Amino acid sequence: MPLRIWREPLDLDKTKVRRAEIRIIKERCRGCGFCIEFCPKDVLEVSKEPNEKGAYPPKLVDETRCALCSFCQTVCPDVAIITIEKEL
Amino acid sequence: MKAPQSSPKPDEEIRIGVYVCHCGLNIAGSVDCEEVAKFAATLPHVVLSKDNRYTCSDPGQELIKKDIKEHKLNRVVVASCSPRLHEPTFRRTCEEAGLNKYLFEMANIREHCSWVHLYEKEKATEKAKDLVRMAVAKAALLQPQEELVVPVTRKALIIGGGVAGIQAALDLADTGYKVYLVEKEPSIGGRMAQIDKTFPTMDCSICILAPKMSDAGRHPNIELLTNSEVTEVKGYIGNFKVKVLKKPRYVTEECTACGDCASVCPVIAPNEFDVGLASRHAIYMPFAQAVPSTYIIDRSLCLNESFIVCDKCMNACERHTVNFNMLPETVELDVGTIIAATGADVFDPTSLMSYGYTEFPNVITSLEFERLINAGGPSGGRLIRPSDMQIPKTVAFIQCVGSRSAKSGHLYCSNVCCMNTIKDALLIKEHWPETKIYVFYVDIRAYGKGFEELYKRAKEEGVTFIRGLPAEIIEDGRTNNLVLTGENTLRRDLYEISVGMVILSIGIEPRQDSDVIQRLLTLSKTSDGFFMEAHPKLKPVDTPTGGVFLAGCAESPKDIKDSVTQASASAARASILMAKGKVTVEALTPIVNPENCQVCGLCARVCPYNAITADKELKKTEVIEAACAGCGTCGAECPFDAITMRHFTDEQIYAQIDAATEQNADKKIVAFCCNWCSYAGADFAGVSRMQYPTSVRIIRTMCSGRVAPKFVERAFARGVAAVLVAGCHIGDCHYINANYQTKRRVEKLWKKVERLELNKERLQLAWISAAEGERFASKIKEMQSIVDKVSKEEIEKSKMLFKKAR
């Protein structure tokens, strides 16, 4: 068998793991879904509650999965999503 | 010296000379050689028959040469020892007298007669006469053959860039040959790069390997193909056409390995090089000394799949070396020789539940230990317990994890683990002398140069060796300490020992994907799953496929020194071929007769070497002579008699069968034995003087796959009592898998025999290796009782039913 890799790396505390904070400005969202579609880590999904515009804004599935590539922020036509690096 | 060769013309009179050798008393002791020689003189085409004391001696050979010239002999038969011993000698004698060496035939009256019938002189003499009759009958039909000479491309392919592959590459490149070194990982180095120190000298592994790695990287004769895999190998010895898939690195060669890219990469994953104990990014270099010293992007982790969402590494790289548009590329190489140095995997101890690997954090493998004790490793060289990052005060090594037990791993010994553990124990003692160390073992195998001394040193430094592996490991949930219980088989008492850390000394196993290389290079494997050498003693780095050699752990588990030795050996073997620049192929290959051939493709289907192509569109069946090894299974398969196996033709084999069955056929066994295993097994029975009944007449074929059903039918049609077909054990065939065809054909024959309501027992199939003389002897004894029981009616019936075969 090839090597089994199963442990958590011992040096994780020394590696700077960047944690993200994702802010979604629900009322601006027009529900295009780009942020959900293009997120490489599948951090977002469609929420069940519509906003005032009748659009369904994204909601977080698991914020810790975010790698802070900020592509959601780049593709959002409505400037409705912002990623910020959390201070730890 | 080779004299100018004269070949007999088709209508030329056949003039056979027979020489019956006494071999001192080895033959003459139980065979009346004079009488055999007199008998031989009465056989058709025999113009001269002599007996002498030692035919293989210089005077014996001179006599043959003189007779060839004086008596215009155009065939020579020597009745003496096994052709496996002296056929090359007498072939050379014939050549020196100007006779084509394929016009020589041998009758084995020593190993197959005098030595196995020591006390039955009369019967042995009768048998010797039969054997000579068979040889003369074949000799009359022999034809001169021209051996094919093929050129050898002076370039080599080495598959695998571990220490064996690197050494072989450097040796060949220094000799002056172009070398392609293909490695599937991003860097060369292999397992040796992961190891901290080497035994028994305790020098730093990467310190001695890294210079070799960079030598290989910048050698003008070596072309490195890393992150690449061989996908296709076509051709034959001296003329291989190889396709290699170069997977993209997504970083160009201009990379300076500054590491700016990795520091901004948002993806973190375990690093395989550190067995997952340290982390890396999606863009990474496997280890500091990697060659080529270039970063690579792991696209299975990178955020960018079909389009770019993250460009952090691209922006960080000042030299703009990151390129996501790189595509896989297939390169085609022409090489003359190939060295497979594909290495090995390590045993995964997760399956051994009683040791708790992956369940208890402080149970680690010996490979994890190497990364922990290494100063460049994830813990900076501190041996820390994964549970609390503390240095353990007591440590236990468990030996033979996955080795020496078919039940819990593999039956074979992995060779390196004993010494590796002793080295590891001494390393712990060196850094933390107070550490209490236990080694639980089955046997300590310290067989090499300087090994015993190291073992002694470990004992002197206070390492405790306990014979008897623990039955179970239990974890103390509070401290994560481990309690080992088992039996000390030397003191015959039970132990229960608590330690802070357990190191499983894991074994070596064949690469999981070794089937791919096996198929590409048409190699064989041993029952262990490692690649098989052409001969375990005398051709340890050759393979059954011409021009392909083995080095390192691909062949069997071995340490660094042995891997390097073997690598240099295989490089030397490959050099011989390339220095000569040409190679002759024995003229045992088939000739297709286009008049009979229906281009059905059956021959191509059974060929183990893909050496026959049947092109239905062009209506042509072609033999790639240099790729053919001459097993003859194609000839046995052809339903239209369109294939002539040179030197083992249907007519020649029929002639042998007919000669063997000319007298008292109903009391005889005709045995078809393959040259490499069963014939050699019968030879071994002779060398060991194992006595068995005189009724058997052996016909040699290169492979049991040559034995066509029609040969067996012919023997029955001639009224023989029993037939034996014997070959190498399944899986050990010298022609890869040709004996599967043997099995299939014999099974089919059995069905036919049953259908004809004949005694199925009269046809036997046996797998007899070259070492199993006893098995051959007992098989003949067993068959003798069948011979004794066969009734006249049964013989007549089979003669009738198989009449067609006559």
Side-chain angles (χ1 to χ4, degrees):
Chain A
M1 288 289 286
L3 276 178
R4 178 183 289 270
I5 307 286
W6 62 279
R7 285 180 207 273
E8 189 158 280
L10 302 176
D11 60 353
L12 273 190
D13 54 329
K14 285 180 219 114
T15 320
K16 200 178 151 210
V17 182
R18 305 195 311 162
R19 293 264 175 251
E21 187 185 334
I22 302 171
R23 293 199 188 144
I24 300 162
I25 307 158
K26 285 185 192 163
E27 53 275 22
R28 278 196 197 163
C29 176
R30 285 189 290 173
C32 69
F34 287 172
C35 55
I36 299 166
E37 190 184 336
F38 293 122
C39 175
K41 292 289 207 179
D42 299 324
V43 175
L44 303 164
E45 65 179 15
V46 185
S47 64
K48 294 210 169 68
E49 289 153 32
N51 64 8
E52 293 164 352
K53 292 178 181 157
Y56 292 86
K59 77 171 212 247
L60 294 168
V61 180
D62 181 359
E63 198 175 40
T64 60
R65 282 214 296 250
C66 175
L68 264 167
C69 70
S70 306
F71 198 64
C72 51
Q73 186 177 316
T74 312
V75 292
C76 180
D78 304 312
V79 203
I81 188 163
I82 299 161
T83 55
I84 303 162
E85 187 174 345
K86 256 188 205 166
E87 293 298 324
L88 291 174
Chain B
M1 201 198 73
K2 216 165 153 178
Q5 311 240 319
S6 65
S7 314
K9 286 147 204 88
D11 51 350
E12 198 184 5
E13 181 203 358
I14 293 167
R15 298 175 64 83
I16 304 177
V18 179
Y19 299 84
V20 182
C21 180
H22 291 224
C23 195
L25 280 177
N26 279 310
I27 296 170
S30 38
V31 168
D32 186 339
C33 295
E34 217 174 308
E35 199 188 316
V36 174
K38 267 187 209 155
F39 165 78
T42 67
L43 293 169
H45 306 300
V46 175
V47 293
L48 173 153
S49 176
K50 293 179 175 171
D51 62 300
N52 53 7
R53 265 173 77 111
Y54 289 104
T55 314
C56 62
S57 66
D58 276 351
Q61 292 187 51
E62 285 307 317
L63 177 72
I64 296 176
K65 280 194 244 177
K66 204 173 103 227
D67 287 349
I68 289 174
K69 283 175 189 148
E70 279 181 13
H71 297 270
K72 297 197 169 53
L73 301 180
N74 52 24
R75 306 284 191 285
V76 172
V77 171
V78 172
S80 59
C81 50
S82 171
R84 292 172 53 86
L85 186 68
H86 270 318
E87 191 179 58
T89 314
F90 294 122
R91 278 184 158 187
R92 209 162 43 237
T93 311
C94 290
E95 268 186 335
E96 283 167 4
L99 194 65
N100 184 285
K101 67 180 186 185
Y102 289 89
L103 296 172
F104 169 78
E105 183 62 23
M106 250 176 132
N108 185 347
I109 60 166
R110 191 177 77 173
E111 280 85 343
H112 290 185
C113 189
S114 69
W115 277 352
V116 288
H117 314 305
L118 286 173
Y119 316 108
E120 300 172 276
K121 192 159 183 172
E122 211 169 293
K123 279 185 173 175
T125 305
E126 283 312 302
K127 180 174 175 180
K129 284 182 190 170
D130 260 11
L131 295 177
V132 171
R133 194 205 316 259
M134 289 159 70
V136 168
K138 182 174 179 183
L141 297 170
L142 290 176
Q143 288 299 320
Q145 304 294 348
E146 279 298 320
E147 289 185 337
L148 179 75
V149 179
V150 292
V152 176
T153 306
R154 289 188 162 123
K155 291 178 193 169
L157 166 74
I158 295 173
I159 310 173
V163 65
I166 292 171
Q167 182 65 42
L170 286 172
D171 282 5
L172 285 173
D174 284 344
T175 314
Y177 301 114
K178 170 89 187 170
V179 178
Y180 301 99
L181 180 54
V182 176
E183 167 60 53
K184 70 174 176 185
E185 298 295 332
S187 168
I188 56 169
R191 291 269 178 248
M192 186 177 169
Q194 287 180 292
I195 295 169
D196 181 45
K197 299 284 189 303
T198 62
F199 62 77
T201 45
M202 310 293 276
D203 39 6
C204 159
S205 187
I206 193 71
C207 314
I208 55 176
L209 179 66
K212 273 189 185 294
M213 288 165 62
S214 47
D215 281 355
R218 54 163 194 259
H219 201 294
N221 283 343
I222 299 178
E223 188 174 327
L224 280 190
L225 296 148
T226 50
N227 210 31
S228 303
E229 283 178 43
V230 176
T231 53
E232 189 183 294
V233 178
K234 286 231 164 95
Y236 46 85
I237 181 168
N239 301 274
F240 295 105
K241 291 206 179 300
V242 182
K243 280 189 184 161
V244 178
L245 177 71
K246 274 175 84 174
K247 288 175 283 181
R249 294 179 83 96
Y250 304 104
V251 178
T252 63
E253 283 167 16
E254 283 75 45
C255 169
T256 55
C258 67
D260 288 349
C261 52
S263 62
V264 296
C265 177
V267 181
I268 292 169
N271 188 3
E272 295 81 0
F273 181 78
D274 286 306
V275 206
L277 291 166
S279 58
R280 64 168 172 86
H281 294 272
I283 186 163
Y284 72 110
M285 197 148 87
F287 54 102
Q289 298 86 348
V291 172
S293 182
T294 311
Y295 274 68
I296 180 168
I297 296 176
D298 181 347
R299 287 299 289 270
S300 69
L301 294 171
C302 177
L303 298 178
N304 302 328
E305 281 174 54
S306 44
F307 51 89
I308 310 293
V309 300
C310 171
D311 55 3
K312 292 193 166 71
C313 52
M314 291 171 93
N315 293 335
C317 181
E318 275 180 18
R319 294 172 68 100
H320 309 294
T321 64
V322 178
N323 176 4
F324 282 99
N325 295 325
M326 279 190 184
L327 292 171
E329 186 191 342
T330 297
V331 288
E332 287 182 36
L333 312 172
D334 286 310
V335 296
T337 55
I338 299 175
I339 296 175
T342 46
D345 278 333
V346 291
F347 179 75
D348 180 356
T350 317
S351 57
L352 304 177
M353 306 293 267
S354 54
Y355 288 160
Y357 184 68
T358 68
E359 200 182 326
F360 309 145
N362 295 335
V363 177
I364 67 168
T365 66
S366 39
L367 204 58
E368 288 175 314
F369 174 89
E370 294 296 337
R371 295 317 302 151
L372 284 176
I373 200 83
N374 186 283
S379 59
R382 287 167 67 248
L383 179 66
I384 51 172
R385 297 173 7 130
S387 70
D388 54 10
M389 308 288 167
Q390 296 304 306
I391 296 170
K393 294 195 170 52
T394 51
V395 168
F397 286 91
I398 300 179
Q399 295 308 108
C400 295
V401 177
S403 306
R404 301 189 63 198
S405 164
K407 217 170 72 190
S408 51
H410 305 289
L411 184 65
Y412 55 84
C413 166
S414 288
N415 290 344
V416 298
C417 336
C418 283
M419 291 317 295
N420 193 59
T421 287
I422 290 167
K423 174 221 39 170
D424 289 348
L426 281 166
L427 279 179
I428 299 175
K429 281 282 178 195
E430 190 183 305
H431 293 298
W432 305 279
E434 301 306 315
T435 314
K436 178 87 191 127
I437 303 173
Y438 297 96
V439 176
F440 297 93
Y441 69 96
V442 182
D443 296 294
I444 292 290
R445 295 186 162 168
Y447 57 90
K449 185 176 181 180
F451 289 8
E452 187 66 28
E453 290 84 338
L454 201 73
Y455 178 31
K456 204 169 154 228
R457 216 178 98 200
K459 284 196 280 193
E460 280 165 6
E461 299 216 3
V463 178
T464 310
F465 288 85
I466 296 174
R467 201 181 82 176
L469 302 181
E472 197 181 17
I473 298 176
I474 299 167
E475 190 190 43
D476 178 336
R478 196 171 45 83
T479 58
N480 292 112
N481 283 346
L482 302 150
V483 181
L484 286 66
T485 49
E487 187 195 348
N488 183 330
T489 56
L490 276 183
R491 290 199 346 206
R492 295 189 182 177
D493 58 13
L494 301 178
Y495 60 76
E496 186 180 291
I497 294 167
S498 173
V499 296
M501 179 183 244
V502 169
I503 298 150
L504 303 177
S505 202
I506 48 174
I508 291 173
E509 61 182 26
R511 284 255 187 230
Q512 198 185 29
D513 56 358
S514 62
D515 287 356
V516 178
I517 295 294
Q518 181 186 19
R519 185 174 44 77
L520 288 173
L521 301 178
T522 47
L523 301 176
S524 329
K525 282 184 183 179
T526 59
S527 53
D528 296 340
F530 293 98
F531 294 138
M532 191 152 78
E533 61 280 52
H535 188 282
K537 297 279 171 281
L538 301 176
K539 282 186 175 176
V541 299
D542 294 36
T543 69
T545 311
V548 178
F549 305 92
L550 298 173
C553 286
E555 184 261 333
S556 68
K558 57 176 64 68
D559 65 10
I560 294 165
K561 180 183 175 178
D562 284 356
S563 291
V564 170
T565 310
Q566 212 180 29
S568 287
S570 61
R573 299 287 295 161
S575 291
I576 293 173
L577 276 176
M578 293 193 285
K580 273 191 186 160
K582 58 184 181 183
V583 61
T584 50
V585 185
E586 248 198 307
L588 304 176
T589 51
I591 293 169
V592 180
N593 177 359
E595 273 170 34
N596 290 5
C597 179
Q598 308 290 314
V599 202
C600 66
L602 282 175
C603 51
R605 215 157 66 198
V606 296
C607 176
Y609 298 88
N610 303 322
I612 300 192
T613 50
D615 193 323
K616 288 196 177 153
E617 272 170 36
L618 289 176
K619 292 212 164 55
K620 210 172 168 196
T621 302
E622 259 184 314
V623 180
I624 306 153
E625 228 179 286
C628 169
C631 64
T633 191
C634 54
E637 192 71 12
C638 180
F640 307 107
D641 294 335
I643 288 180
T644 307
M645 278 314 296
R646 291 196 287 164
H647 211 57
F648 289 90
T649 65
D650 289 358
E651 288 69 30
Q652 289 165 3
I653 293 172
Y654 282 144
Q656 285 175 289
I657 297 169
D658 292 354
T661 51
E662 200 166 309
Q663 282 169 355
N664 306 324
D666 58 336
K667 296 281 168 243
K668 283 180 191 163
I669 304 166
V670 166
F672 296 96
C673 290
C674 81
N675 178 62
W676 304 103
C677 283
S678 303
Y679 193 92
D683 278 357
F684 189 63
V687 173
S688 316
R689 311 294 199 276
M690 290 165 183
Q691 305 297 299
Y692 57 80
T694 55
S695 53
V696 61
R697 303 290 179 267
I698 295 175
I699 294 173
R700 180 170 72 121
T701 54
M702 290 313 282
C703 175
S704 61
R706 171 71 186 104
V707 183
K710 61 190 177 190
F711 299 158
V712 177
E713 291 180 8
R714 172 74 153 237
F716 283 131
R718 297 275 301 174
V720 81
V723 173
L724 170 68
V725 178
C728 308
H729 285 269
I730 289 288
D732 291 355
C733 183
H734 284 245
Y735 300 97
I736 304 169
N737 54 17
N739 59 359
Y740 281 93
Q741 311 302 339
T742 315
K743 187 163 171 270
R744 184 174 54 83
R745 288 179 193 132
V746 171
E747 280 166 358
K748 219 166 135 191
L749 273 168
W750 274 330
K751 274 196 194 131
K752 186 168 181 182
V753 167
E754 267 181 329
R755 210 169 48 238
L756 297 172
E757 292 177 343
L758 292 169
N759 181 2
K760 190 180 150 190
E761 279 197 323
R762 289 172 60 202
L763 172 59
Q764 295 274 326
L765 174 67
W767 308 126
I768 297 164
S769 82
E772 292 174 330
E774 177 58 44
R775 201 186 177 101
F776 181 84
S778 54
K779 189 78 207 170
I780 300 305
K781 283 181 205 157
E782 176 196 320
M783 287 182 74
Q784 184 61 41
S785 64
I786 299 166
V787 173
D788 293 341
K789 272 191 300 202
V790 176
S791 66
K792 266 214 156 63
E793 295 75 49
E794 165 94 18
I795 300 258
E796 286 309 316
K797 193 174 158 198
S798 50
K799 263 169 115 169
M800 252 267 299
L801 289 169
F802 286 115
K803 202 166 57 188
K804 245 191 3 223
R806 249 187 292 179

